[in-house]
Each structure stands twice: as C-alpha cells, then as structure tokens.
Amino acid sequence: MLHAEGPLLTVDVGDRTATETSIDDTLEAAVGGRAVATALAHERIPFDADPFGPENRAYLAPGPLQQSRMSFTGRLNMTALSPLTDGLVSSNAGGYLSRNVVGTGIGVLELAGTSDELLAVHVTDRGVEFEEVPDLEGATVPETSEYMADGHDLGPDNCIAIGPAGENRVRFASVMTFDSRAFGRGGLGAVLGSKNVKCVTFEGDSEPPVEIPNPPEMDIHREAAQSDDLLRRQGTTGSTEFINDNFALPTRYFEEYGFEHADRIGGNAVEEKKYEKGACSACAYACKLPTRDEEAGIETEGPEFETVYAFGSSQGVGDIVDVMKANELCDSLGIDTISAGVTVAAYLASEDEFGNADLARELTEKIAYREGIGDRLAEGVDRCHDDLGVDNYTVKGTEFAAHDGRVLHGQGLSYAVANRGADHMYAGMLTPEYSGELDPEGTLGKAERLVREENASAFRDTGIVCAFGSDYVTPDRLETLFDADYADLMEIGARTVRRERHFNNQRGFDRSDDGLPYEIPDLEAAIDEYYAARGWTEDGVVPDRALEPIAPSAD
Ligand code: SF4
C-alpha cells in the first residue's frame, strides 16, 4: 500500500533538541496524515496531559500524495490535544506548504515541550535551527511572514505561524499558513502559543521514494482543469442561497433558520469581489477566492461559506464587505472564523446588537488580545455562555458549523457523536441529506451511513486528498493510487476514529458528552445504533480489547 516516507522529527522546544525516530512500521500500517498523527498522539501524549502543558504534542503530518503534483493534494494535517474540546483534534489546511514540508525529508513533525522565549523553528533538509524572535511578540500573521521574508528569504508558503490569538491562548486560535489558509478548528494555534512557538519554517529539496501511479493522476488533473462546477467560481459560498432555501443557515445565533439577506453575502456577492483565481499547490481545480473591495480598502482570500455564516447570518450582518473585513481580521489575528464568529454572535445576542458589524470586529480584536470582555469570549461559548445569559450552542466545546442539524437530522447526529464536536468536516452527512439521497428528516437507520462517512473523511485526511475532490478522486481511483482495496482504506479510517475515541475515553469522555443542545427525533436511539455499528459499549466507550496495535512497534 502507498504510504508516506521519512522519520518522525521530534523538536523539543524546551531543551531545543531535534531527534529523528524511525516510524516505518506506523507509516506502513497507517499511510500518513491524520491516521499516523492520531496513532502517534495516542502513543505519546499522556492521557492526563494539560492541553497548554509541555506534555502536549502537536503533529504536522503529510500523506504520501503530498509529494505528487496531483490536483487536490496541496494539503496537510495537524493533530494535538485541543484546548477547546479537551480531546484529540485534527485539522486540515491547504495552501503551498505541503510540498515544502515533504522537501525537508521528514515523515512527521512533532512539536514538544515549552520554550522560555518566543521561538521560530527552522526545519530544513540539513537540520533544525532555533531562533529567538522577541520582536515578533504580538505580531500578526502577515507581520510574521514579512519578518521571515526580510530576514530569511522565505515566503508564507514556507511557514506555519500564529498571531496574537495563539500567543494569548485563545481557545479557538488557528495555525495559519500562506497568511490565509487555516488549521482552523480546535485551538491548535493556542497549543503552539503555549509552547511559545511563533512560527515554523520548512525548506528543502528532499524527494522521498514515494511512487505515485501516473494514469489516474493525469485524468484527475485534466478533469479538475476542465470542470465547470460552481464551486470553482464561487468556492463554498456558491451553496449559500441553496442552503438558506433549505432552512439550514442558522441566523442570529440560532434564533432563526434562514437569513433574509443571504443573497447579499452568498456566492454571487463574493464572485463580484473576486479579482483572480486562487488555488492550493498544483491544484487545477483552483476553487480559492482572492477578493477585494477598493472603496473599503479591503483585500482578503475568501470568505468561505462557513465564514459567511459565522460573521454574516449568525450575526445578522448582511453586507459581504463586512464579512470580508472580518475574514481578513481573523486570518491576521490567527483565529478560527467559525468559533470566533459564533462566539461574537452569542455576545451580540446577549446585548441585542445583531447587525452591528463594527462591534463584531471590535470584539474579535478584543478576543485575540484578551482585552475586557474579550478575555471571557476567548474561552469560547461553552465556557462563557452562562456569563452572557445565552444558550450553549456547542458540542464538546466546539461551536457549530452551519448546515443546521435541527433540519438535517443525520448531520445533527454526526455533530452529536463526532470526537471533535460540532464540525461539518468530520462526516459529510449533509451531502446526501441536501441532495435528497437521504431524507433529512429523522435519525434512525442512519448510523451505518454515518460510520461510512466518518471513515471516508478520516482516510481523506490521511492520504491526504482535499474534501472538494471527492467527485474526481473516486473510490476506484483511490484503490489505484494506494494499491489497496477500498475496504482496507476505509478500515484505516475506522481505526483512526476508534483511536481518537479511545484517547478521549481515557480523559473521561463517554456517552454524556455525545449529544446536542437541541432536540431532534430519536437521538438517543440513533446514538445506540451508532455505538452498535462502531462496536463500542452503550456508554460510548471503546473497549481496550477493540484497540488493535497500529503497528507491531507502536503498542
Ligand atoms: S479544490 Fe480548492 S481547496 Fe481543494 S486543494 Fe484545490 S484549490 Fe485547494
């Protein structure tokens, strides 16, 4: 089976050491990306670790396809113990970083320890260097990129960086690459902030011995280049009005199911502001959205649909330029647009200030710097909703993505049981429910499908293939690319979900953490069906005997 190559590079920023360890068995068994990172995290992060403690570890892991020039593969996985959920979280970002990480020759980067001084870590194919960067204290993400460009001749495609939000341990701070692409969910930026790591750069010409089969690669690239999908023109915002028409666009902090100004913040509004094509490394699909508004003096990339929801409908804001400004601000401060937007919306609900976009941006800045009320909001809705006097729209501490689970009940079930909470990328039940392939009404009988979707997403983040490439990187092509049966690839996904759940169980997660802040039909019975389909106990626990070794050397 195709798998990533290279050693585990452990960089301990506390004692400033770099150590290489062979993980060939783990790579052979788990391929790369999220599956390998989850296996390593399970093995090497103590079950009782503090997310902000030196014992937490962050893993940056490419898959084997990141070495190729195939469309839909310019992505990377990052995994750590989350300060937002308190369980394992994996997040995935695009851009141009993945080829540079592979170029260093490493299989996986592991960041451990805590530094006394703010650090930049430089990883190259010649070794690792540590640079104290006191001048970057409080710097925004673009300021950090500028520093690396001026002082080191490195571009934003060579870097991951955090902004002030990460330094200040905002629980939903993001790790940014290419200034505008985010490892967004779960507070991974705060993990790097707790380690006093401002940025990590990657540079090298190494070419690991990974052989990618050619024919499907060329077909995928050609088809991506010739596609006339709406997604290519309008990115994910192309679906905004359809989703609104399906009453699945949460509005005014979940008070309503649809937004009367969806057309002002949706795909057409964004396309009007788009000034050129944008892509990730080598991706001919090029769905990204560089946008600008000269009158407002704003230039950003996106906003994507989830930002349109979080800083648009969720806050009662119906002007795309306001959403663009919020998007640019979040990228610059290094903060997840979904959690930030929804947390700000919770505050606007408490103060009856829906529609006040200026206040929304002011609050976002205060969150990043933990000033005034921002210090409470920086903890996220789960930890501050009582102070605000609003309902707690989170699952496992994660603020809801759009795609309303009150309308798409299978997606609601997914939010309820997902190891990282209310995130839409954990399992795509929304797709068959929007298309009508599955009746969106009801939860019973959907568990088997949910398990398949979770496993497919987990393998997608392992390979690594972009979520928007599923019509092109089809199951039979995955079989060709990975030289394996699709069932075996899905089993790798299943093991990954199981391992995440087992880790979280050791931290005390069980059935009481699986649920929703609102009612949908037969949820408890559907959760029973889900546990049965997974082979877990009725308390949502993975039996120890069900946790197979990831590889002979790993357990
Ligand atoms: S489809 Fe879009 S998001 Fe995915 S890799 Fe290509 S350009 Fe990036």
Side-chain angles (χ1 to χ4, degrees):
M1 191 184 299
L2 186 75
H3 58 80
E5 299 273 356
L8 171 68
L9 176 68
T10 302
V11 174
D12 189 316
V13 296
D15 57 19
R16 299 195 190 177
T17 56
T19 318
E20 289 192 1
T21 309
S22 169
I23 51 167
D24 291 350
D25 289 345
T26 304
L27 290 170
E28 273 172 34
V31 173
R34 179 171 151 200
V36 166
T38 300
L40 293 169
H42 186 282
E43 190 181 45
R44 296 165 71 92
I45 300 175
F47 292 140
D48 62 353
D50 174 354
F52 291 140
E55 64 277 21
N56 194 5
R57 291 165 185 251
Y59 295 89
L60 188 70
L65 296 183
Q66 278 49 69
Q67 196 196 338
S68 76
R69 297 279 150 190
M70 194 181 99
S71 290
F72 306 110
T73 63
R75 304 193 70 85
L76 279 169
N77 174 81
M78 188 176 283
T79 297
L81 175 58
S82 162
L84 189 67
T85 70
D86 205 42
L88 278 188
V89 74
S90 291
S91 188
N92 187 290
Y96 294 81
L97 180 71
S98 55
R99 317 293 179 212
N100 289 322
V101 171
V102 171
T104 65
I106 63 170
V108 178
L109 172 70
E110 176 184 62
L111 289 171
T114 296
S115 169
D116 291 337
E117 306 292 336
L118 194 63
L119 281 186
V121 179
H122 302 292
V123 181
T124 73
D125 52 359
R126 304 171 304 282
V128 176
E129 288 176 15
F130 299 88
E131 177 189 3
E132 293 183 7
V133 287
D135 292 349
L136 288 181
E137 190 178 332
T140 63
V141 172
E143 285 167 354
T144 305
S145 294
E146 216 175 291
Y147 179 96
M148 289 300 145
D150 290 348
H152 299 273
D153 204 20
L154 293 169
D157 50 335
N158 293 97
C159 302
I160 55 171
I162 61 168
E167 285 183 64
N168 293 320
R169 302 186 185 189
V170 174
R171 287 186 188 269
F172 43 85
S174 54
V175 174
M176 302 299 297
T177 176
F178 200 59
D179 287 347
S180 57
R181 311 294 172 83
F183 297 91
R185 306 237 66 190
L188 294 169
V191 175
L192 261 61
S194 70
K195 297 187 175 305
N196 245 341
V197 173
K198 185 69 181 177
C199 80
V200 186
T201 68
F202 301 87
E203 196 191 3
D205 298 317
S206 179
E207 286 193 23
V210 179
E211 280 185 33
I212 313 285
N214 219 18
E217 178 184 345
M218 299 319 292
D219 283 346
I220 289 165
H221 207 66
R222 180 176 45 74
E223 289 168 20
Q226 293 172 353
S227 161
D228 60 0
D229 293 349
L230 182 62
L231 187 62
R232 293 194 73 199
R233 284 205 336 265
Q234 299 188 347
T236 46
T237 61
S239 311
T240 308
E241 283 159 270
F242 169 81
I243 291 165
N244 193 51
D245 291 345
N246 280 274
F247 306 106
L249 184 66
T251 296
R252 296 185 182 83
Y253 194 63
F254 304 94
E255 288 178 9
E256 298 160 61
Y257 293 77
F259 189 36
E260 67 276 19
H261 299 312
D263 59 324
R264 295 188 195 167
I265 56 173
N268 290 333
V270 170
E271 195 178 0
E272 271 180 32
K273 304 294 181 190
K274 184 175 170 181
Y275 62 91
E276 63 179 6
K277 276 181 173 297
C280 302
S281 177
C283 186
Y285 198 71
C287 75
K288 304 312 291 182
L289 299 165
T291 54
R292 71 175 159 225
D293 185 280
E294 280 172 15
E295 203 181 316
I298 180 80
E299 190 166 309
T300 187
E301 189 173 79
E304 294 292 348
F305 165 69
E306 289 293 338
T307 311
V308 157
Y309 140 73
F311 275 93
S313 66
S314 197
Q315 298 179 3
V317 169
D319 182 338
I320 190 60
V321 174
D322 282 323
V323 182
M324 286 165 61
K325 287 179 182 172
N327 188 65
E328 196 269 341
L329 185 62
C330 288
D331 287 353
S332 174
L333 298 170
I335 197 168
D336 175 32
T337 60
I338 303 177
S339 286
V342 173
T343 305
V344 167
Y347 180 86
L348 299 181
S350 74
E351 297 290 316
D352 199 15
E353 283 280 0
F354 285 128
N356 190 339
D358 291 336
L359 177 58
R361 288 194 294 276
E362 192 185 311
L363 290 165
T364 303
E365 290 228 35
K366 285 186 168 165
I367 289 171
Y369 293 100
R370 284 190 174 270
E371 287 172 7
I373 184 65
D375 191 38
R376 287 300 302 139
L377 301 181
E379 294 293 295
V381 167
D382 188 37
R383 292 171 175 87
C384 77
H385 71 279
D386 277 342
D387 295 351
L388 300 180
V390 299
D391 290 336
N392 181 7
Y393 280 102
T394 65
V395 177
K396 301 183 181 76
T398 299
E399 288 76 12
F400 275 88
H403 311 293
D404 203 327
R406 297 172 298 184
V407 176
L408 308 169
H409 294 156
Q411 187 60 41
L413 174 62
S414 167
Y415 292 145
V417 299
N419 288 330
R420 65 172 176 245
D423 182 64
H424 60 304
M425 300 303 284
Y426 201 81
M429 292 295 280
L430 56 102
T431 304
E433 292 196 321
Y434 279 134
S435 71
E437 184 196 339
L438 279 182
D439 184 350
E441 183 70 28
T443 56
L444 291 177
K446 293 182 176 177
E448 296 274 355
R449 177 62 180 262
L450 173 56
V451 166
R452 291 206 303 276
E453 294 290 343
E454 286 183 339
N455 295 349
S457 296
F459 185 76
R460 177 196 73 205
D461 297 342
T462 290
I464 300 169
V465 179
C466 179
F468 305 142
S470 57
D471 288 347
Y472 305 88
V473 193
T474 52
D476 57 321
R477 285 174 167 172
L478 284 173
E479 288 188 327
T480 307
L481 283 164
F482 285 88
D483 190 23
D485 290 341
Y486 189 66
D488 291 338
L489 303 180
M490 293 305 98
E491 180 53 27
I492 290 171
R495 280 187 208 158
T496 304
V497 172
R498 189 154 59 233
R499 208 157 269 272
E500 283 171 353
R501 171 67 65 146
H502 184 268
F503 184 97
N504 290 357
N505 289 151
Q506 309 316 302
R507 292 180 67 78
F509 282 77
D510 59 19
R511 186 180 188 122
S512 63
D513 299 289
D514 289 338
L516 293 168
Y518 45 75
E519 287 190 14
I520 59 175
D522 305 307
L523 180 61
E524 291 306 318
I527 290 175
D528 284 336
E529 289 183 348
Y530 172 77
Y531 292 162
R534 280 278 178 215
W536 299 346
T537 73
E538 60 186 26
D539 290 326
V541 170
V542 179
D544 283 340
R545 62 182 153 68
L547 196 74
E548 64 286 286
I550 195 76
S553 64
D555 280 3

